[in-house]
């Protein structure tokens, strides 16, 4: 399996290798996955295969990232999903259930396939969440939560060579949790400089990444709820135990501290 440095894909094309996903290629080339999919005429769920040639030159089309420039520099932290009708509800709503009526079952967008990261019974117990398991992506991210609690040892920088996220110190084995509901779109170690990395797709606008994990406890295409365990903290790809956490909006890195609640 090939490995790539952060932001190392700067050519106009790329030959897909085993272990790649559209999201990992978009991440390491600093592009929006929707832009790449549109440019290469890929449809959901954006399946790619080894040997496939992808066009990374997005300058000839109007991209999702370019459209995003029409919005404020700092997208809103929280988008409320409540409607005005919520205010009219009584304190104790009444729910009527007819006899023999069963609620419809939600189906995942993509079937879950086997991953290189097997999950043991003990790990499955760790992954149990008090939150209701989501089976589809929300259209908006209603709220962000801290993936771990610890000392902030690195802040975001918008400069070209600056830190594209935040760094949080911790102890080996500390639990790393999902910062919002979403779906795992990458779980691996092919992106050099990130170590063991998990990337979560939260919506067509937002992705988040959790780097340097000691052990990954989720699989690609798995749906996760906010607060659900993703991995254990470690120091793969770095010289100390920590979590490198990023949020990307339309493929561009944004300051996570503008989205996360104040500690």
């Amino acid at each position: 399996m090939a490995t790539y440095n952060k932001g190392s894909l700067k050519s106009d094309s790329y030959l897909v290798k085993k272990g790649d996903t559209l999201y990992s290629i978009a991440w390491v080339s600093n592009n929006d996955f929707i832009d790449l999919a549109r440019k290469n005429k890929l449809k959901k769920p954006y399946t790619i295969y080894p040997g496939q040639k992808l066009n990374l030159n997005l300058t000839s089309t109007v991209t999702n990232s370019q459209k995003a420039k029409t919005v404020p520099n700092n997208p809103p932290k929280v988008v409320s999903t409540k409607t005005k009708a919520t205010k009219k509800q009584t304190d104790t709503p009444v729910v009527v259930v007819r006899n023999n009526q069963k609620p419809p079952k939600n189906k995942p967008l993509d079937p879950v396939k086997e991953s290189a990261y097997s999950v043991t019974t003990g790990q499955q117990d760790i992954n149990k969440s008090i939150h209701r398991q989501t089976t589809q992506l929300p259209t908006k991210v209603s709220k962000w939560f801290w993936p771990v609690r610890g000392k902030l040892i690195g802040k975001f920088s918008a400069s070209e060579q600056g830190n594209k996220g935040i760094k949080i110190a911790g102890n080996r084995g500390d639990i790393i949790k999902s910062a919002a509901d979403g779906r795992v779109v990458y779980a691996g170690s092919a992106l050099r400089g990130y170590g063991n990395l998990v990337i979560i797709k939260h919506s067509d606008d937002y992705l988040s990444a959790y780097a340097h994990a000691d052990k990954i406890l989720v699989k690609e295409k798995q749906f996760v709820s906010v607060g659900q365990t993703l991995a254990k903290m470690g120091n793969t790809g770095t010289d100390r135990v920590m979590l490198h956490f990023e949020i990307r909006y339309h493929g561009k890195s944004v300051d996570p501290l503008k989205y996360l609640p104040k500690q």
Side-chain angles (χ1 to χ4, degrees):
M1 183 183 298
T3 57
Y4 310 99
N5 293 323
K6 298 179 183 180
S8 63
L9 294 184
K10 297 183 181 298
S11 61
D12 290 339
S13 63
Y14 174 73
L15 200 64
V16 177
K17 297 177 177 59
K18 184 178 180 180
D20 288 337
T21 69
L22 182 71
Y23 302 91
S24 66
I25 294 171
W27 194 272
V28 79
S29 62
N30 292 322
N31 285 310
D32 182 14
F33 70 91
I34 292 181
D35 295 343
L36 283 183
R38 183 182 296 115
K39 183 69 177 181
N40 292 278
K41 299 180 180 179
L42 300 175
K43 297 182 179 180
K44 292 182 178 181
Y46 308 132
T47 302
I48 57 176
Y49 52 88
Q52 181 178 2
K53 187 176 182 180
L54 295 181
N55 188 345
L56 303 184
N57 184 1
L58 307 180
T59 57
S60 60
T61 58
V62 177
T63 68
N64 203 35
S65 297
Q66 288 171 337
K67 291 178 181 178
K69 292 180 180 179
T70 61
V71 303
N73 290 332
N74 297 325
K77 301 180 192 176
V78 178
V79 179
S80 176
T81 57
K82 295 182 180 180
T83 63
K84 293 181 179 179
T86 306
K87 297 180 180 179
K88 297 180 180 180
Q89 293 178 350
T90 60
D91 293 336
T92 308
V94 179
V95 179
V96 179
V97 180
R98 297 179 179 176
N99 291 335
N100 301 325
Q101 183 178 1
K102 296 182 179 179
K105 295 182 178 179
N106 291 329
K107 296 183 179 180
L109 296 178
D110 298 311
V112 177
K113 295 183 179 180
E114 292 296 325
S115 170
Y117 293 91
S118 60
V119 181
T120 65
T121 303
Q123 291 168 356
Q124 289 174 344
D125 290 338
I126 293 174
N127 266 337
K128 288 179 180 178
S129 172
I130 60 173
H131 302 282
R132 181 176 57 83
Q133 180 70 28
T134 182
T135 55
Q136 59 184 4
L137 293 178
T139 56
K140 303 288 184 181
V141 179
S142 60
K143 192 172 184 180
W144 296 89
F145 291 87
W146 285 83
V148 295
R149 291 289 182 176
K151 182 180 179 181
L152 191 65
I153 57 174
K155 293 186 177 181
F156 173 83
S157 172
S159 65
E160 184 175 351
Q161 301 299 325
N163 183 29
K164 300 307 179 185
I166 58 174
K167 299 182 186 300
I168 308 171
N171 299 311
R172 185 178 305 278
D174 284 353
I175 296 299
I176 300 170
K177 300 179 180 181
S178 180
D181 291 344
R183 179 164 57 92
V184 180
V185 293
Y186 181 79
S189 58
L191 279 65
R192 187 179 292 126
Y194 285 98
N196 289 331
L197 172 70
V198 177
I199 300 177
I200 304 293
K201 177 185 177 183
H202 301 289
S203 67
D204 285 344
D205 295 326
Y206 288 101
L207 297 172
S208 66
Y210 312 74
H212 308 308
D214 182 58
K215 181 179 290 186
I216 295 175
L217 301 177
V218 289
K219 299 182 290 185
E220 288 178 9
K221 298 189 178 182
Q222 177 180 340
F223 286 86
V224 294
S225 299
V226 58
Q228 185 170 338
T229 296
L230 302 178
K232 291 184 177 182
M233 191 181 290
N235 65 334
T236 56
T238 187
D239 58 357
R240 64 176 296 178
V241 175
M242 67 176 180
L243 170 67
H244 173 83
F245 175 67
E246 292 187 31
I247 295 177
R248 293 200 181 183
Y249 175 72
H250 290 290
K252 304 302 178 184
S253 299
V254 293
D255 187 354
L257 295 181
K258 293 182 178 179
Y259 294 80
L260 298 172
K262 293 184 178 180
Q263 294 197 82

